[in-house]
Amino acid sequence: MNIVNKKLLAKETKEEDIVPVDMRALFKDETEIIPEKLVKKYEIRMAVKKLSHWYGNNHVLSGISLPIFKNKVTAIIGPSGCGKSTFLRDLNRMNDLIKISRVRGKVYLDGINIYSEGIDLIQLRKKIGMVFQKPNPFPMSIRDNITYGPIIHGINKAYLPGLIKSYLVKAALWDEVHDRLSESAFSLSGGQQQRLCIARALSIEPEVILFDEPCSALDPHATAKIEDLITKLKAEYTVVIVTHNMQQAARVSDFTAFFNLGELIEFNSTRDLFRSPIRKITEEYISGRFG
Amino acid sequence: MTKEKSDNSLTEKDVSFDDLPKRKRLLNPKQSQKIGYSMLLSSIIFIVIVLGVFLGYIIINGLKSINFKFIFSSYNPTVGRYGLFPSIMGTFLLIIGSIAIAAPLGLLAAIYLTEYTKGGIIVSIIDQGINNLAGVPSVVIGVFGYALFSVYLKMGSSMIAAWLTLACMLLPTIIRTSQEALRSVPRTYREGSFALGATKWRTIRYVVLPPALPGITTGIILSLGRAAGETAAVLFVGSGVFFNRFFNGFSGTFMNLPNFLLTLYRSAGGWEQVGDVMWLTAFVLILIVFSFNAVAIVIRNRSEKQRGSY
Ligand SMILES: Nc1ncnc2c1ncn2[C@@H]1O[C@H](COP(=O)(O)OP(=O)(O)OP(=O)(O)O)[C@@H](O)[C@H]1O
Ligand SMILES: [Mg+2]
């Protein structure tokens, strides 16, 4: 048997929910949309295979297959309502919280389908962090926002102060808040709050980080800071970012997936997708003629 | 834009906003704004005056007839001693006991209903039931408590039966206000916590409850007053009189201030004789309610301050 993540693996996991850790083979029959040369060249960290999503009877994603490459930034773009957030939230099973949501298809991480029975959601979400569209710090002090995650995952209290600093530094927030760690997180500006949420997401040492339009509520200056941060993060993390902003996708991402009406229309390296889109509708969207 | 053409008929002729016919109105917006504001202002002035007169009257009359010997002595009308202390103690214990039962139970029920159920018919029936229970007259609760606790469960006329009966009366309100408080905590907090791998219980305990606490405390404060002032519900389950003693045990009858007032009112003496005592009793009752509220508010504010001002 292949090396699969023991922590995620449950007793009930079926054979069909386990794949080789090298996930290239999954995209052999998807070459129409997923360029073969990319799959050959880059290491895959997560693999989405024929993912469909319903809210009640509303079919919002149909048959999405997408590789998420390791230590790269993948941008998801597409018109409002096309299912970008739904897709992103499917990657860490955040949609489980929504009663009417139904998922079919597979999402592989560490060789295991995260939708297979008995998956440990706590371990899954420790591996896949998330930053939301609107900054959502907890109603606690800045310090407690950072220590919340480590405490959950059993870090010894003695190590917490060191962690606080290291994650705030990573999120480029330390200089601004180091002398007010006990203050409420709500005393920060919107951009600072979002960086705090990034630090909070980093605090559990995830391997993949999902960003859902992290800059949509921020001004250009704060946006630039966060974009800068995201490009730095990919040295250590695999990043998926949903964005409305084409320039942002072009600036921060290595790969771009264009969604429309719940389907993956085109996927390529960001440079190629913006320079020479294959489908007409992609071209119309990125040139701003529709959307 | 690519999907469908808009079929907005107005755009055909390009009518300008200013040329459109306006509807007639009785008052222009500024006038109605003025009227609305003056209605708000006059009602708050009215309320402040009524409340002020009401409280002032009780406080002044209560202070006028203050008599510490009376407050701290036991009750025995046969020797002309209408001591208040058994009633003060009874009221105290009623408040503490009924809140101690109803508050945790109500809060847990509210947490279960808001956080662990996902809607559906049964939940909405329970929800509606709680709403209806909150409106049931307390005298009916008293009958129920008498039948269930005093008679069926053989608790007789006792402080314990009264605690349970009062708790039944307070539960719907505590559940309802706690539910409102929990629901007002944004979903994004919960999502943020789950996204870090937190369990549901941890999320509730550390992320949802703290911001909901002020709302929950408000519900408890409202209940304190009702427990203190309840007359009818406890009449059936153990409120009575006993002589020459401060306290009759938890399984014995008790005295409380509202029912003491009732006793005074019914006593042969008439206003000339018992008027002063009634003022003083009312004053002490209000004092007790206010001090309990003050304690609750201090606890609430302190817990808020600990977490910073969110
Ligand atoms: N919780 C929900 N319950 C029901 N339907 C939902 C829910 N969330 C999203 N939807 C529906 O799913 C579809 C896709 O929504 P989604 O939020 O994924 O779009 P999006 O691409 O992220 O849009 P935007 O760019 O505006 O954020 C929409 O039609 C939306 O109405
Ligand atoms: Mg979205």
Side-chain angles (χ1 to χ4, degrees), chain A residues 89 94 96-97 99 122 125 128 130 132 136-141 148 151-153 184 186 200-201 204 261 290, chain B residues 1-3 118-120 187-189 191-199 202-203 206-207 211 307-310:
Chain A
R89 293 160 57 90
M94 248 1 231
D96 286 18
L97 300 176
K99 190 190 163 206
I122 294 175
R125 288 172 184 154
I128 308 182
M130 187 165 208
F132 297 83
N136 62 342
F138 297 137
M140 310 169 181
S141 67
Y148 185 83
I151 290 173
I152 291 175
H153 296 284
S184 159
F186 294 151
R200 187 178 72 186
I204 51 168
L261 300 174
F290 127 90
Chain B
M1 270 188 280
T2 46
K3 271 196 263 173
K118 289 187 169 183
R187 196 183 49 145
T188 55
Y189 291 2
E191 286 189 339
S193 175
F194 290 131
L196 290 168
T199 56
R202 180 180 285 272
T203 302
Y206 292 100
V207 175
R307 299 179 294 114
S309 48
Y310 300 121

Side-chain angles (χ1 to χ4, degrees), chain B residues 13-68:
Chain B
K13 264 191 257 161
D14 262 333
V15 190
S16 123
F17 188 91
D18 292 328
D19 294 339
L20 288 169
K22 308 283 188 297
R23 77 190 150 85
K24 282 218 169 62
R25 338 188 222 210
L26 208 58
L27 299 165
N28 71 36
K30 269 189 190 149
Q31 286 169 324
S32 51
Q33 143 91 4
K34 246 187 201 151
I35 290 177
Y37 179 71
S38 36
M39 272 165 31
L40 295 177
L41 189 67
S42 45
S43 65
I44 193 69
I45 290 175
F46 177 76
I47 287 168
V48 166
I49 290 176
V50 170
L51 268 182
V53 167
F54 171 76
L55 280 181
Y57 215 68
I58 293 177
I59 290 171
I60 289 170
N61 281 301
L63 287 176
K64 244 197 249 164
S65 46
I66 202 145
N67 175 347
F68 287 102

Side-chain angles (χ1 to χ4, degrees), chain B residues 120-132:
Chain B
I121 295 177
I122 295 181
V123 173
S124 60
I125 289 175
I126 294 178
D127 253 17
Q128 212 41 55
I130 291 170
N131 272 342
N132 287 330

